[in-house]
Amino acid sequence: MAEAIEEASPCRAMSSRVEQILSDTRKPYSARVREAASVELATLAKLVAPAVVVYLITNITSVSTQMFCGQLGNRELAAAALGNTGIQVFAFGIMLGMGSAVETLCGQAYGALKHDALGIYLQRATIILTLTGLPLTVFYIFSKHILILLGEPREIASLASLYVYGLIPQIFAYAVNFPIQKFLQAQSIMAPSAWISAAALPLHLLLTWLLVLKLRTGLLGASLTVSFSWWVGVIGQFAYICCSQRCKSTWTGFSAKAFSGLPSFFKLSVSSAMMLCLECWYFQILVLLAGKFHNAETALGSLSICMTISTWAYMVAVGFNAAVSVRVSNELGAGHPKAAPFSAMMAILSSLSVAIILAVLTLCLRHRLSYIFTPGPVMSRAVADLSPFLAAVMVLNGIAPVLTGVAVGCGWQAFVAYINIGCYYFLGIPLGCVLGFHFDYGVKGLWSGMLAGILAQTVILSWIILRTNWTKEVETAKERLATWETR
């Protein structure tokens, strides 16, 4: 059976070679590393490329809508940015974090050849995330009052809430999409999601152009197209799972077993959510704080443009995050203590190299970046002034998400949550507030604090990974899977 599975999964067959190569003591260590690196990089490329496409297109779906809103005026751009980063990211962080639990379980179960468990984990995660979406809907409904309570300008908060109302259907698309993506990623099935996302993007752009610029439906119509596009992706991916032979052993249909063990699954999901939410909210809080400066419109606009560009680069690192999570969890589930850390190191070095290149390009184009979103020299100067901070964030974000992916592959979510609390909320945000408000460095001060938090997290996670006993991690993965088999 194992041989048949390897034939159906080239990535798995290649990954098994990594452990064999590294364990072959007949060859010099340097030769083993070179050979294993060539195999691992080929495996990563097959995983990273489609994952990056999926995340980039998903981001472009949201950003292109924001760009259309920018054509209505700077105030509408600021409102859409506040709605996206101030409210939407809150829900995104919770739902993505809750879905992270299924990423660890599915990845390790697939590596251990326990295929029938994947479909059950997918259904449990979908149930948990759908229930989580109900209180988030209430949060969206009262977004205007929440933003005003947080000190945002009333007029911008009112426009932002209008944009947020159209994103309510997107909450429940998250609830289905994230478990489906993790289910497919665990099996190294990335390309179908990329093709589905690519096919949905032109439809989204056409609908947004029609509703916003031609029919003048404003911010509400713009955000409704975002929700619609997410549901198109969900339906397409689920149709693939039901019809594809590649998912035949992992998806056998709906099962009543999905409703068993929900309290334990919820507890695991909450631990995962804590890690990713704290990270997503970190950036969200910075945007909310930027709204408190005297020139809130320019501060929010320039920061949102820089954050958007940073997010584009971040999507590349998130692709490596998804790939390394798959690789590490698969290798641990398969009992490969040498291949797991080697995969992590190759992913970190590759992602960092790409991030450095993108940071250099950003500095070279710093005076032209703002014109992608909105015309005017005021915003151009503000964005160019922030570009060195943007480049620094890009470099750090080339490492941090990959380290988080290693943590997810190992199942360390709860532990990393404590690291994020310390680095982001006891260091990054307080330092940013002191520099931004007390010393009057403005947005630059906020970004300096953000950089300090990311740098601290990166150093700590790197140190932990370097000191990890991977043989022990293999045993922990076996124990985790044995425990969940009984639930």
Side-chain angles (χ1 to χ4, degrees), residues 378-439:
V378 174
M379 197 66 72
S380 175
R381 287 193 295 269
V383 171
D385 203 32
L386 289 176
S387 60
F389 296 88
L390 173 59
V393 167
M394 282 181 170
V395 173
L396 286 177
N397 278 346
I399 308 173
V402 187
L403 298 175
T404 302
V406 176
V408 171
C410 295
W412 298 342
Q413 289 95 321
F415 175 64
V416 175
Y418 292 108
I419 297 174
N420 288 350
I421 290 174
C423 295
Y424 293 159
Y425 296 90
F426 288 100
L427 175 62
I429 291 175
L431 179 61
C433 288
V434 169
L435 293 174
F437 295 99
H438 182 72
F439 289 101

Side-chain angles (χ1 to χ4, degrees), residues 76-147:
E76 284 77 7
L77 173 64
L82 188 59
N84 273 332
T85 314
I87 299 295
Q88 184 193 36
V89 171
F90 177 82
F92 185 92
I94 290 177
M95 302 299 266
L96 180 61
M98 295 289 282
S100 177
V102 76
E103 186 172 1
T104 302
L105 292 174
C106 282
Q108 294 186 358
Y110 189 72
L113 305 182
K114 298 180 179 180
H115 291 174
D116 55 336
L118 272 71
I120 303 300
Y121 296 153
L122 165 62
Q123 294 171 65
R124 285 177 182 166
T126 302
I127 293 169
I128 293 295
L129 265 67
T130 300
L131 294 175
T132 305
L134 297 177
L136 287 176
T137 301
V138 177
F139 177 77
Y140 272 44
I141 292 172
F142 291 98
S143 58
K144 175 182 176 180
H145 305 285
I146 293 170
L147 289 171

Side-chain angles (χ1 to χ4, degrees), residues 31-56:
R32 279 182 280 159
V33 169
R34 285 195 300 271
E35 186 178 352
S38 65
V39 174
E40 181 61 35
L41 289 174
T43 305
L44 281 174
K46 292 183 179 180
L47 297 174
V48 171
V52 170
V53 170
V54 170
Y55 289 120
L56 276 175

